[in-house]
Amino acid sequence: MGNLTVKGLDSLVDFTNEIASQTDAIIKASMYEGVKILADEAKKAVEGLRTESGGQTPRYITKIQKDGLKEGLGVARFRKEDGKWTTVIGFNGYNRLRTRKYPNGQPNQLIARSVESGTSYQKKEPFMRKAYNNARAKAIAAVQAQAIKEIERRK
């Protein structure tokens, strides 16, 4: 009967254990690269929204509403829920358009949703969906590339 000797398994096991202990840091660094791409695409999408000066039944948002969306666009903190890391790119805060119903300004989330889905009088303009679809493949590739870099950096 022949003998089989495998060398180097101990170092492989040690490396695997070391990487496993740093998984959260690797994932967060990798996610950051993908989120950066998605947020930049969302910012471009907001820039590309059509505006109009108002009127009886406006079909598009006003410049004030668009400026509010630009200022309110952001990324939530990364959170780990049930073993999965998540974050959200969205809108926060209020714009400067004060109305009787919104004396502190209109909620940016409300404006973004009305633009994305449309209303009975406002034309639908799915800018966030398009931004996601345009940047998805690039973001996934960036996350994968950064994960590989992070693992190699720890060798």
Side-chain angles (χ1 to χ4, degrees), residues 51-62 65 119-123:
T51 61
E52 65 184 18
S53 59
Q56 292 295 341
T57 54
R59 294 184 60 179
Y60 301 105
I61 61 173
T62 65
Q65 291 170 321
T119 65
S120 60
Y121 61 88
Q122 188 171 345
K123 190 166 173 69

Side-chain angles (χ1 to χ4, degrees), residues 39-54:
D40 287 346
E41 191 67 30
K43 187 177 183 180
K44 281 192 252 177
V46 170
E47 289 286 340
L49 288 175
R50 291 181 251 177
T51 61
E52 65 184 18
S53 59

Side-chain angles (χ1 to χ4, degrees), residues 65 68-69 72 91-95 106-113:
Q65 291 170 321
L69 291 178
F91 299 92
N92 198 6
Y94 300 87
N95 64 34
Q106 297 171 322
N108 287 325
Q109 291 176 346
L110 176 76
I111 301 304
R113 178 174 239 127

Side-chain angles (χ1 to χ4, degrees), residues 54-121:
Q56 292 295 341
T57 54
R59 294 184 60 179
Y60 301 105
I61 61 173
T62 65
K63 183 173 179 343
I64 293 172
Q65 291 170 321
K66 183 176 177 177
D67 290 343
L69 291 178
K70 284 190 234 178
E71 292 167 10
L73 181 65
V75 178
R77 289 185 181 170
F78 293 172
R79 291 190 323 242
K80 189 174 184 179
E81 296 175 356
D82 298 327
K84 297 177 185 175
W85 282 94
T86 63
T87 190
V88 176
I89 298 171
F91 299 92
N92 198 6
Y94 300 87
N95 64 34
R96 293 183 316 276
L97 187 60
R98 288 160 177 40
T99 64
R100 186 177 300 141
K101 186 173 182 178
Y102 300 108
N104 296 328
Q106 297 171 322
N108 287 325
Q109 291 176 346
L110 176 76
I111 301 304
R113 178 174 239 127
S114 69
V115 172
E116 185 76 22
S117 303
T119 65
S120 60
Y121 61 88

